[in-house]
Amino acid sequence: DIQMTQSPSTLSASVGDRVTITCRASQSISSWLAWYQQKPGKAPKLLIYKASNLQSGVPSRFSGSGSGTEFTLTITSLQPDDFATYYCHQYISYSEGFTFGPGTKVDFK
Amino acid sequence: QVQLQESGPGLVKPSETLSLTCTVSGDSISSSNYFWGWIRQPPGKGLEWIGSVSYSGTTYSNPSLKSRVTISVDTSRTRFSLKLTSVTAADTAVYYCARRPPGFGMDVWGQGTMVTVSS
């Protein structure tokens, strides 16, 4: 199994802050990583795919980077709508099984 | 615009089989080069991939659940289903279906359906 970790687990921030979330894989997944945003009671929303590609319709303040085993999601200027939980997700191969990180909750400082 | 909708019983007894269906509107499972999958989320916890089916009908499942999971596509090609056998309280979760284009993350999700395992 490929294990995913995220840090921090909780992040307290203010509107306008630059926020960075880190995701690490237990083995190389090349660039096969996605990031999702989830709000309470709602389905996850795809933000980033293939590590650094912005999904259509997602604001440009979101960006992703990394390859191999270490990845980051950055929000350049946090907006009120961005307070949510963020998950990374590796999808290198079905034979390995897909896995999600444990999530990072971004809340109000 | 493609939409996904999960349906099925909200309560399942321990040791029985959980059965859910995802109805795809605005697209056909076999007409597009997509994968169609199931993901679950226990209350207050994170996401777990259960399994997926390809546009050609090939199925894949989480190794930790593989012996209990069956995913299939309806002959109408507009629905796909999940069966999870021998359920326990640990299978209580919100179950989502989702679409994944090759090379992408899961870009379209259903709203989710809560399934509780309890006698």
Side-chain angles (χ1 to χ4, degrees):
Chain A
D1 291 26
I2 299 176
Q3 306 299 318
M4 307 299 290
T5 60
Q6 285 183 237
S7 59
S9 56
T10 305
L11 191 160
S12 296
S14 302
V15 173
D17 284 354
R18 180 184 178 92
V19 166
T20 299
I21 299 168
T22 298
C23 175
R24 290 185 175 88
S26 59
Q27 64 190 69
S28 177
I29 56 170
S30 185
S31 295
W32 300 113
L33 186 100
W35 289 96
Y36 302 86
Q37 176 194 69
Q38 187 180 33
K39 296 181 180 178
K42 299 294 186 182
K45 173 187 174 183
L46 178 65
L47 301 175
I48 301 286
Y49 64 92
K50 209 172 177 187
S52 60
N53 293 271
L54 194 68
Q55 174 68 357
S56 176
V58 173
S60 60
R61 63 180 180 272
F62 291 92
S63 64
S65 65
S67 66
T69 61
E70 188 157 333
F71 303 85
T72 58
L73 173 71
T74 299
I75 310 171
T76 52
S77 177
L78 197 68
Q79 298 301 300
D81 191 48
D82 301 337
F83 291 94
T85 300
Y86 293 84
Y87 293 93
C88 62
H89 160 223
Q90 69 78 15
Y91 56 100
I92 184 169
S93 78
Y94 279 116
S95 59
E96 290 277 0
F98 291 178
T99 45
F100 291 87
T104 294
K105 184 177 181 180
V106 178
D107 62 16
F108 292 97
K109 183 183 288 183
Chain B
Q1 181 181 356
V2 62
Q3 293 184 314
L4 280 62
Q5 178 70 58
E6 305 90 350
S7 59
L11 181 64
V12 181
K13 290 182 167 56
S15 80
E16 295 191 345
T17 297
L18 179 160
S19 296
L20 296 174
T21 296
C22 181
T23 300
V24 179
S25 58
D27 201 353
S28 168
I29 292 172
S30 57
S31 68
S32 305
N33 192 24
Y34 296 128
F35 295 86
W36 308 86
W38 290 97
I39 303 95
R40 69 181 182 179
Q41 186 171 37
K45 296 189 177 181
L47 300 163
E48 180 181 32
W49 174 71
I50 300 170
S52 300
V53 58
S54 74
Y55 57 94
S56 62
T58 303
T59 57
Y60 311 86
S61 37
N62 187 322
S64 69
L65 300 170
K66 190 169 188 174
S67 62
R68 299 197 291 133
V69 168
T70 301
I71 297 174
S72 60
V73 177
D74 188 90
T75 53
S76 69
R77 311 303 287 182
T78 60
R79 297 186 301 179
F80 62 102
S81 300
L82 168 69
K83 292 190 188 301
L84 182 65
T85 61
S86 305
V87 297
T88 69
D91 295 309
T92 294
V94 175
Y95 285 76
Y96 296 100
C97 57
R99 183 186 81 171
R100 190 181 77 83
F104 284 66
M106 299 175 197
D107 67 340
V108 180
W109 293 66
Q111 65 185 26
T113 187
M114 179 69 200
V115 179
T116 301
V117 178
S118 175
S119 55

